[in-house]
Amino acid sequence: MEPGALLEVEVGPVAHGGHCVARHDGRVVFVRHALPGERVRVRVTEDTGGSYCRGDAVEVLRASPDRVAPPCPWSGPGRCGGCDFQHVSAGAQRALKAFVVAEQLARLGGLPDVDVIVEELPGGLLGWRTRMQFAVNRRGMAGLRVHRSHSVVPVKDCPIANPALGVASVLSRRWPGARGVEVTGSAAGAGGRSVRRLGHRSSALVEGPQVGQERAAGRDWQVSGGAFWQVHPAAADVLLRCVLDLLAPRPGERCVDLFGGVGLYAGALAAAVGPAGSVLCVEGDAVAAADAVVNLASTPWASIRRAAVDAGLVAGLSAYDVAVLDPPRSGAGREVCEALAAGPARAVAYVACDPAALARDVRTFTSAGWRLAELRAFDLFPMTHHVECVALLVPAPDGPPVDPLGEAGDATPGHPG
Ligand SMILES: C[S@@+](CC[C@H](N)C(=O)[O-])C[C@H]1O[C@@H](n2cnc3c(N)ncnc32)[C@H](O)[C@@H]1O
């Protein structure tokens, strides 16, 4: 189908990636800006030549009751691609994400019966994001990219950005020669915003502190530019509470925090297990690991190892009781999960920002004789399709179950099947 062609379709279920699945002439069409149950006119935006093409709903012929007027004036077909669900009511956004998590766990994880509820965070749908990266076009104007495109839509503001960032003043300036501009700030901590001009090979701080202060679990955390920190102001507290509730660390226990960042979970675990216990935080990024050294200084029974998390490292860990696993979007991967499943932990809390990667890794654990004991999900990224999950994995007393998917299970993320 030629890009630009118009199709009329019945919209089916939501799929991983912020679009819904429709069919036209026997082919799958991934439709953005639509909702399940709607009838829409779609403009084709991309045809891969394979089994599916992509398009935007440009006219709604029969609307879902979950449809609302997008609060952002820059969202919509062919415009800013930053948000996926501006046209969806708050409750329906969470229901769509719950559907996707359950579907990924069923299809890729071999677990067809997981009830998923996506929990709301305080603060509403707008004004939450404490880190924004804008692209800059050839004329030096900052904006956000069109979905799956290099085109930049100049914007005057961003309604999901936290007011502490003051992004309007950054967007009103010209940034000649820059590749992008990043604004970070802490809604909960102190220090004001930081603005970085992003070049093609380097970045330069143009305003604000290089080292930020965040607040979670009733204390401050040093987070330098470039180190990871959750972008929703309530996220660190919510995830920390969840991980502690699920693992229930006991005084004297030994913990590992893999992909530990600036030491958020390691710090909370150290407080929970006390000086009779121990915590090892493993983080690959030099800047984050240096922040972790500062953040864990008051609990010397917590140590930091700057290293890549891989199967060899996990297999070489000395005895531990509980583990936190918080990998980047690609997931921890089969080898790391197999090494953890072969280890001595009584429980692993897996914090995941991609439900497909989580589902694949959960399947590795269950194939090795572990079970998914609990799953919680949080709407850390309102208006977007992104969702954060925390899975509690424990060794199953009866050994490996029969893998319902078999060795050749489908591992194609986002494919409607
Ligand atoms: C999702 S963040 C989580 C950080 C921390 N747990 C938190 O919540 O603040 C993932 C972290 O893993 C680190 N990382 C990515 N790949 C890694 C690897 N192969 N080995 C070790 N660390 C890695 C990143 O630098 C980042 O700090």
Side-chain angles (χ1 to χ4, degrees):
M1 271 174 269
E2 284 299 308
L6 290 173
L7 321 169
E8 201 175 304
V9 298
E10 288 287 330
V11 181
V14 68
H16 186 29
H19 42 235
C20 293
V21 184
R23 286 182 195 269
H24 189 269
D25 279 349
R27 291 186 75 203
V28 168
V29 189
F30 289 125
V31 187
R32 280 170 59 79
H33 310 287
L35 273 162
E38 290 189 328
R39 187 163 184 83
V40 298
R41 207 179 307 284
V42 173
R43 184 187 297 125
V44 175
T45 52
E46 186 184 336
D47 190 342
T48 60
S51 61
Y52 67 91
C53 62
R54 299 177 187 275
D56 287 341
V58 290
E59 190 182 344
V60 181
L61 305 171
R62 188 185 64 240
S64 162
D66 295 325
R67 181 172 280 276
V68 297
C72 174
W74 295 281
S75 76
R79 311 192 75 204
C80 170
C83 291
D84 312 287
F85 293 152
Q86 284 271 341
H87 61 292
V88 186
S89 70
Q93 289 190 22
R94 295 196 298 279
L96 294 177
K97 297 181 195 199
F99 181 92
V100 168
V101 173
E103 190 251 355
Q104 297 294 304
L105 285 169
R107 205 162 53 77
L108 303 178
L111 298 171
D113 298 318
V114 183
D115 277 335
V116 182
I117 295 170
V118 174
E119 301 172 43
E120 187 179 6
L121 264 63
L125 298 179
L126 302 175
W128 52 271
R129 227 189 136 89
T130 57
R131 174 174 305 206
M132 293 292 307
Q133 210 178 88
F134 298 100
V136 172
N137 69 14
R138 286 206 185 100
R139 288 184 292 151
M141 294 165 80
L144 289 155
R145 290 194 194 280
V146 176
H147 184 62
R148 294 175 65 81
S149 162
H150 293 297
S151 300
V152 177
V153 181
V155 295
K156 290 195 167 68
D157 204 345
C158 175
I160 67 168
N162 192 284
L165 301 190
V167 295
S169 65
V170 170
L171 291 162
S172 66
R173 285 165 58 183
R174 293 282 174 133
W175 298 87
R179 175 180 63 81
V181 54
E182 184 182 76
V183 194
T184 53
S186 169
R193 73 174 184 184
S194 295
V195 181
R196 286 180 184 79
R197 180 185 195 282
L198 308 177
H200 290 276
R201 285 196 190 79
S202 59
S203 71
L205 185 70
V206 293
E207 183 192 315
Q210 174 65 30
V211 177
Q213 289 295 325
E214 297 287 350
R215 219 170 150 76
R219 54 161 286 193
D220 291 335
W221 302 81
Q222 174 174 309
V223 184
S224 298
F228 180 90
W229 188 260
Q230 290 285 356
V231 294
H232 191 295
D237 265 326
V238 165
L239 293 175
L240 208 49
R241 189 68 265 149
C242 177
V243 165
L244 291 178
D245 285 349
L246 293 180
L247 289 179
R250 299 186 279 264
E253 282 197 311
R254 298 151 300 178
C255 314
V256 291
D257 177 13
L258 302 176
F259 306 96
V262 302
L264 177 68
Y265 299 116
L269 288 168
V273 299
S278 67
V279 182
L280 174 65
C281 172
V282 184
E283 164 60 37
D285 178 65
V287 174
D291 284 343
V293 170
V294 174
N295 292 327
L296 301 179
S298 62
T299 49
W301 55 98
S303 56
I304 298 98
R305 190 183 302 175
R306 188 196 156 202
V309 175
D310 59 21
L313 178 138
V314 174
L317 292 172
S318 52
Y320 54 95
D321 303 293
V322 296
V324 178
L325 189 58
D326 185 9
R329 287 194 73 69
S330 50
R334 187 163 57 81
E335 288 82 5
V336 166
C337 294
E338 282 175 349
L340 269 171
R346 65 167 176 79
V348 171
Y350 187 139
V351 184
C353 60
D354 182 62
L358 173 68
R360 284 192 290 272
D361 285 345
V362 164
R363 186 173 164 224
T364 302
F365 275 95
T366 56
S367 300
W370 285 51
R371 69 185 174 86
L372 176 64
E374 202 167 333
L375 180 102
R376 291 183 64 188
F378 300 97
D379 196 10
L380 257 49
F381 312 95
M383 296 293 192
T384 78
H385 74 274
H386 296 285
V387 55
E388 193 86 6
C389 296
V390 186
L392 177 67
L393 294 152
V394 297
D398 301 327
V402 176
D403 182 348
L405 291 178
E407 276 304 303
D410 183 354
T412 313
H415 194 278

